Amino acid sequence: MLAALFSWALLALSPPASAQTFSGDFSSSAGARFNGINNVEDTVNAIAVDSATAGGPFVYVTGRSGTGPNAFTIKYSSAGAMLANASPGGRGEGLAVDAGAGAVYVVGMDSASDWLIYKYDLNLVFLTSAAFGSADIESAFAVALDASGNPYVVGYTTSSTHHDLHVRRYTPQLALLSSQTFTSASGVNDFDRAHAAAVDSNGNLFVAGQRHTDATLYDWWVLKLNPSLVMLA
């Protein structure tokens, strides 16, 4: 009984959670702003523009709200008014918009430290998702679309004591088509990651990231892969 009363007293004395707020627009000097619940740290990691849909252009941003894995994605009008938002959990690192198919893809890490990809419609209504993980940490950092709307997702996977650059290709329904892992020559205590991706008109994927060269140094790393994720010369 005393424990219950003590818990109730703590709850009663705790300050109420502040609501998340959306303010400003693209015409203001401070731009369009988002402040998460309880005035936590909010970070944007990626942005994409839909110039094809009627009434646009529309701007999509994704990132996280707070220090934990709390993904947040927002759709803005061309003037900077917030039109829709989604917060499914996890951490938003990259996004891509397929206006012709009416789809928005957001990639990052979920609350279990697994690689994730979410698919929404253009109003950020959830459609489907896919995850990839193990007992260690995996995260996706970027997504790019080919001419058929297939998402290519890049990031890293953890193997024992090191990170390996990892790439996955999905159908628009997020069925896995192929995957590939690339690592530095030593493969021990290396931290190789992909941070960006782009697809050319032939469906070739360009992946950019970092490669661990010794105990302290990193080099940037750019790979060219065919649609089957085989490295090209």
Side-chain angles (χ1 to χ4, degrees):
M1 180 66 177
L2 288 176
L5 288 174
F6 182 70
S7 298
W8 179 87
L10 287 177
L11 181 63
L13 292 173
S14 299
S18 61
Q20 61 194 23
T21 59
F22 303 87
S23 59
D25 56 33
F26 297 154
S27 66
S28 68
S29 59
R33 286 161 289 162
F34 164 68
N35 186 15
I37 295 173
N38 290 329
N39 200 32
V40 294
E41 177 182 330
D42 305 304
T43 303
V44 171
N45 291 324
I47 185 170
V49 177
D50 169 14
S51 299
T53 302
F58 300 102
V59 180
Y60 295 83
V61 296
T62 193
R64 68 181 184 184
S65 179
T67 56
N70 303 299
F72 209 90
T73 303
I74 300 175
K75 176 184 180 180
Y76 292 102
S77 71
S78 59
M82 194 279 294
L83 300 177
N85 65 83
S87 181
R91 187 175 69 199
E93 296 284 357
L95 80 150
V97 179
D98 187 345
V104 178
Y105 297 92
V106 176
V107 302
M109 177 192 293
D110 67 15
S111 57
S113 297
D114 290 336
W115 168 301
L116 67 80
I117 174 170
Y118 288 114
K119 180 181 180 180
Y120 300 95
D121 71 11
L122 295 179
N123 293 313
L124 298 184
V125 175
F126 175 78
L127 297 175
T128 188
S129 66
F132 157 66
S134 66
D136 294 307
I137 298 174
E138 282 77 32
S139 183
F141 285 116
V143 56
L145 307 176
D146 66 14
S148 299
N150 297 310
Y152 292 75
V153 185
V154 303
Y156 74 91
T157 181
T158 304
S159 177
S160 183
T161 60
H162 57 279
H163 294 173
D164 295 327
L165 186 152
H166 192 69
V167 182
R168 295 196 150 215
R169 181 185 182 216
Y170 297 90
T171 69
Q173 295 74 39
L174 300 189
L176 181 65
L177 292 173
S178 55
S179 65
Q180 192 64 264
T181 300
F182 302 89
T183 188
S184 300
S186 67
V188 179
N189 296 323
D190 292 336
F191 292 88
D192 305 322
R193 300 182 177 188
H195 291 280
V199 181
D200 69 14
S201 58
N202 295 317
N204 296 315
L205 174 69
F206 296 85
V207 183
Q210 67 182 37
R211 181 176 185 178
H212 204 179
T213 56
D214 63 23
T216 59
L217 298 177
Y218 294 91
D219 289 340
W220 74 13
W221 199 13
V222 183
L223 304 178
K224 182 180 181 181
L225 312 177
N226 68 17
S228 298
L229 305 185
V230 175
M231 190 182 301
L232 295 174

